[in-house]
Amino acid sequence: MVESSNIEPLKVSLTDLNEDMLHAILALVSDGIWDWNANTGFVYRNRGWYEMRGYEPHALENNVLAWERAIHPDDYLRVMMHFDDHLHQRSPHYQAEYRCRKQDGSYIWIEDRGHVIARNANGSVARMIGANRSIEDKKRLLEQLERRNHSLEAMVEERTRELSLLNQQLQAQLDENRTLAESDTLTGIANRYLLEKALPLECERSQRFRQPLSLIAMDIDDFKCINDHYGHALGDAALVHVVESVKRCVREGDLLARWGGDEFIVILPNSTVAAARALAENIRLELSGLPPVGDFQVTMSFGVAQRFEDEQQTGLLARADQALYRSKIIGKNMISG
């Protein structure tokens, strides 16, 4: 008989498994499992990950944006803080509880855990795997306990309902105020305030996930002449028609904002300068179908720029604006950058 002390335990490292074998194992797990290849940007998710959110398997794009966009806005910064701490080796693992949007638009509470299993020679993340599970029952139980604590007397219950109704009304008012504060009153698109909030976040995302980020700066050619010749009412109408044309060209996930006057900015996440130029050309062609304003055919000039590594939003904006200026110099209705 062989003594048990002579039996060597089987040791398997995740990094020793090939991609197909690892994903086959992950497919058997009921929890939501994800596998992020940071060098290629590809994210594998098992069936449980999709079922937890009400999706068919592989219904979403295999990238980090599909995950990011599902995080509740109120939880986003906290989740990214925990995520970055682990990426930069300030914590031994990644763990966060947050609300995740399901296919039907509702939110589910999940616990998300992850660990970097491989790094590149420079210390940056090469591969990271993780799992998440629903903690909806736990959160619901806590909510029930809280409600019971606040339901000792009928008077307290009634007051709670009144406060809840007031809170909903206040929240609706806050949402309306936020929309008004972040929207351009004439065109209805994002205003400069929202752009200045969104661009730093997109630069951080671009840096974190090593994905391209591009901008298009554009303004209407000879817009002052239109205002001077035909008045601000026709000038405002021309602005609205231009925005309607541009909106038909931008993609879901892009942010179109009025920078000021007749100048606009489009933020293009996960887009190269070539993609930005192609979009600018589509906009330029779309504008050619607009009716003239008196003797003026409405055209725009464009400047495109792609973010450099470690570049902040001010540098990116400045380069897009300089490219726009070059288009103005060389003849207008042009694309530079």
Side-chain angles (χ1 to χ4, degrees):
M1 179 179 293
V2 181
E3 297 183 1
S4 60
S5 60
N6 294 329
I7 299 176
E8 288 292 331
L10 177 63
K11 298 179 180 179
V12 178
S13 170
L14 288 175
T15 55
D16 295 332
L17 300 175
N18 64 42
E19 201 83 8
D20 293 338
M21 185 179 297
L22 177 59
H23 289 174
I25 295 173
L26 297 182
L28 299 175
V29 182
S30 59
D31 285 349
I33 306 296
W34 50 267
D35 179 0
W36 174 40
N37 185 325
N39 289 334
T40 65
F42 184 84
V43 180
Y44 167 82
R45 302 178 179 95
N46 75 337
R47 175 182 291 272
W49 192 97
Y50 285 97
E51 290 178 346
M52 190 182 302
R53 293 157 175 81
Y55 288 96
E56 291 295 321
H58 312 299
L60 300 177
E61 295 180 1
N62 295 313
N63 56 40
V64 293
L65 291 178
W67 164 60
E68 277 195 285
R69 290 170 178 164
I71 299 173
H72 194 286
D74 293 343
D75 301 334
Y76 180 83
L77 292 179
R78 175 173 52 82
V79 173
M80 288 301 114
M81 179 186 70
H82 291 307
F83 192 76
D84 285 342
D85 281 346
H86 182 53
L87 293 190
H88 296 94
Q89 305 184 66
R90 293 190 292 267
S91 64
H93 61 270
Y94 156 68
Q95 179 178 351
E97 293 182 0
Y98 56 88
R99 287 159 290 181
C100 183
R101 189 174 64 249
K102 300 174 64 177
Q103 185 183 33
D104 62 8
S106 64
Y107 282 88
I108 181 175
W109 275 98
I110 66 169
E111 178 188 64
D112 198 10
R113 295 170 177 260
H115 188 76
V116 173
I117 62 171
R119 292 184 179 272
N120 299 310
N122 63 1
S124 62
V125 176
R127 190 174 182 186
M128 183 175 178
I129 63 172
N132 46 64
R133 63 186 181 92
S134 171
I135 55 172
E136 190 71 16
D137 290 342
K138 167 187 165 184
K139 290 291 183 178
R140 188 178 295 112
L141 177 60
L142 290 175
E143 291 174 358
Q144 290 173 354
L145 291 174
E146 290 174 359
R147 283 197 297 270
R148 288 174 183 173
N149 289 337
H150 290 85
S151 302
L152 297 176
E153 298 178 9
M155 183 176 65
V156 176
E157 292 179 356
E158 180 61 27
R159 183 59 180 160
T160 301
R161 286 192 292 269
E162 292 174 358
L163 291 175
S164 176
L165 178 59
L166 178 60
N167 182 65
Q168 292 175 17
Q169 294 170 344
L170 290 174
Q171 186 61 53
Q173 187 63 53
L174 286 173
D175 292 341
E176 182 180 355
N177 291 343
R178 182 183 297 118
T179 299
L180 291 173
E182 296 179 347
S183 300
D184 177 58
T185 54
L186 175 64
T187 63
I189 62 174
N191 60 12
R192 183 168 185 151
Y193 170 72
L194 179 55
L195 178 70
E196 290 178 339
K197 284 204 315 180
L199 187 54
L201 295 177
E202 291 298 342
C203 288
E204 290 176 10
R205 180 181 292 115
S206 173
Q207 184 72 18
R208 178 183 298 122
F209 295 113
R210 302 199 296 276
Q211 293 180 333
L213 172 67
S214 296
L215 290 187
I216 303 175
M218 52 190 175
D219 71 6
I220 300 175
D221 297 323
D222 302 315
F223 185 68
K224 184 177 184 302
C225 295
I226 294 176
N227 275 337
D228 290 345
H229 281 76
Y230 302 104
H232 289 278
L234 280 182
D236 287 349
L239 279 172
V240 172
H241 290 151
V242 165
V243 167
E244 290 173 350
S245 295
V246 175
K247 285 167 63 176
R248 287 194 289 269
C249 298
V250 296
R251 309 161 307 175
E252 183 179 359
D254 297 339
L255 178 66
L256 169 62
R258 187 179 180 187
W259 183 243
D262 63 323
E263 186 171 357
F264 302 87
I265 300 288
V266 184
I267 302 177
L268 306 172
N270 198 22
S271 296
T272 63
V273 69
R277 287 184 62 89
L279 179 57
E281 178 63 18
N282 287 342
I283 295 171
R284 195 181 71 84
L285 294 175
E286 181 74 19
L287 292 173
S288 66
L290 287 179
V293 180
D295 296 330
F296 291 92
Q297 178 62 48
V298 178
T299 63
M300 299 186 82
S301 295
F302 304 84
V304 299
Q306 179 176 337
R307 178 182 174 273
F308 296 141
E309 186 174 359
D310 297 323
E311 185 176 32
Q312 300 300 313
Q313 66 271 15
T314 51
L316 178 58
L317 263 174
R319 290 194 298 108
D321 198 53
Q322 290 164 6
L324 171 59
Y325 181 73
R326 289 196 299 273
S327 291
K328 292 291 189 183
I329 294 297
I330 62 178
K332 304 176 184 177
N333 194 21
M334 305 286 289
I335 302 169
S336 299

